[in-house]
Amino acid sequence: MPNRVAFITGASSGIGYAAALAFAREGTHVAVIARRAERLEQLEQAITNLPEPHGEILTLSADVRDGEAVKAAVDVAVTRFGRLDIVVANAGVGHRGALVDAAQEDVDTLLRTNIDGVLNAIRAAVPAIRNTGGGHVILISSVTANMPAPYMALYAASKAFVSSLAVSLRGELEGDNIWVTDMRVGRTLTEFNEKRLGKSGRTRMLGPSYMPVERVADAIVRASHRRQRTVTLRLIDRLTLIANNLVPNLIARVVRSQYK
Ligand SMILES: NC(=O)c1ccc[n+]([C@@H]2O[C@H](COP(=O)([O-])OP(=O)(O)OC[C@H]3O[C@@H](n4cnc5c(N)ncnc54)[C@H](OP(=O)(O)O)[C@@H]3O)[C@@H](O)[C@H]2O)c1
């Protein structure tokens, strides 16, 4: 069997970086994109230093908001590795603050990254995965997709878009032997909160603690070997979602107190 090949967006830090390492560790070749080339070089070094055998890495500097650039990156990946099996649409940004007061620039950045960026990755990668004869689309959503709350309107709605997309897309692609997994990630220790758009400052730490990024990365690799529709990793996150269905005002009050 030839090595599988995964295309990952947003691999210069956090979940994407850890997922690229985890895929390479199991022997999957990875083609990764992000804007910070120097961070991608660090990832390349980390993968090169893995014990043999490991997957190879191709790093490409690209912005997910630019559909042509994402398509070009997929083409380079297919030329280099000869196939594409998996796409992980991971790149994303957060936003904190009242919707009406949000800076237009932040609104644009969030929607273009979290929505257009995911669409660009899917639309560029799926034709190549079809040519391979099948594979996997993994969308990195969030528990907030099912738990919209005050002062996270933009972010939660963008992740609801991603999770909704997963359902439709699964039906469209199953005839091509391409599976779609919606990863509803809970709080994870990455740079995400420091880089969040909108209101600055750390939120008060209420609710579940932060997961180590490796736990999410391992779950992404595991999902690529299975036919899971939705993955919500931790029991505490699943329980919070159930609680939100039963007493939505309670969760909204907690979030409001943290995010306002
Ligand atoms: N951390 C959490 O608690 C958490 C929880 C639920 C879901 N998630 C989701 O997990 C995903 C990854 O986030 P993370 O926690 O790993 O945060 P992170 O460490 O900030 O990583 C975000 C990645 O996205 C890339 N990115 C951002 N804008 C981009 C653009 N325009 N073009 C290309 N790449 C771009 C960044 O690279 P460059 O800046 O170098 O371009 C970086 O590699 C996001 O979709 C996020 O919504 C995170």
Side-chain angles (χ1 to χ4, degrees), residues 10-16 34-36 62-65 90-93 113 140-142 155 159 185-188 190-192 195:
S12 58
S13 61
I15 293 168
R35 292 163 302 176
R36 290 172 296 174
D63 189 321
V64 289
R65 293 171 291 184
N90 165 72
V93 290
T113 308
I140 305 303
S141 183
S142 161
Y155 180 68
K159 290 304 183 182
V185 179
R187 278 180 174 164
T188 309
T190 68
E191 300 171 2
F192 185 76
K195 293 191 305 207

Side-chain angles (χ1 to χ4, degrees), residues 90-251:
N90 165 72
V93 290
H95 180 270
R96 170 188 174 194
L99 174 66
V100 174
D101 300 333
Q104 188 58 45
E105 193 188 352
D106 289 349
V107 175
D108 290 343
T109 301
L110 187 130
L111 298 180
R112 300 288 77 82
T113 308
N114 293 11
I115 293 183
D116 290 3
V118 171
L119 293 174
N120 289 338
I122 293 167
R123 286 162 57 79
V126 164
I129 299 175
R130 269 196 190 120
N131 288 341
T132 303
H136 216 116
V137 174
I138 299 180
L139 304 182
I140 305 303
S141 183
S142 161
V143 289
T144 61
N146 259 17
M147 218 163 45
Y151 306 107
M152 55 155 70
L154 275 174
Y155 180 68
S158 75
K159 290 304 183 182
F161 176 94
V162 172
S163 290
S164 167
L165 201 67
V167 179
S168 305
L169 201 60
R170 193 175 302 120
E172 291 182 24
L173 298 182
E174 64 186 353
D176 295 316
N177 194 31
I178 300 174
W179 191 254
V180 180
T181 298
D182 175 20
M183 303 280 307
R184 301 212 182 157
V185 179
R187 278 180 174 164
T188 309
L189 199 54
T190 68
E191 300 171 2
F192 185 76
N193 288 324
E194 280 69 45
K195 293 191 305 207
R196 190 166 39 206
L197 304 169
K199 194 169 175 184
S200 60
R202 291 187 74 84
T203 50
R204 272 196 298 142
M205 189 54 202
L206 288 170
S209 57
Y210 287 85
M211 273 184 283
V213 74
E214 292 77 16
R215 182 161 175 197
V216 183
D218 289 344
I220 291 170
V221 173
R222 212 162 41 242
S224 76
H225 291 287
R226 298 178 182 171
R227 297 208 145 195
Q228 293 171 287
R229 291 168 191 274
T230 304
V231 176
T232 306
L233 268 175
R234 294 187 298 188
L235 180 62
I236 182 70
D237 290 326
R238 293 195 290 274
L239 291 175
T240 308
L241 287 169
I242 292 168
N244 186 56
N245 281 337
L246 297 174
V247 276
N249 287 342
L250 178 68
I251 302 289

Side-chain angles (χ1 to χ4, degrees), residues 53-98:
H54 59 74
E56 293 168 19
I57 177 165
L58 170 68
T59 64
L60 298 153
S61 188
D63 189 321
V64 289
R65 293 171 291 184
D66 180 347
E68 289 299 316
V70 178
K71 172 84 178 60
V74 167
D75 289 346
V76 175
V78 172
T79 303
R80 162 79 179 272
F81 295 122
R83 59 188 285 142
L84 186 62
D85 301 84
I86 302 154
V87 58
V88 184
N90 165 72
V93 290
H95 180 270
R96 170 188 174 194

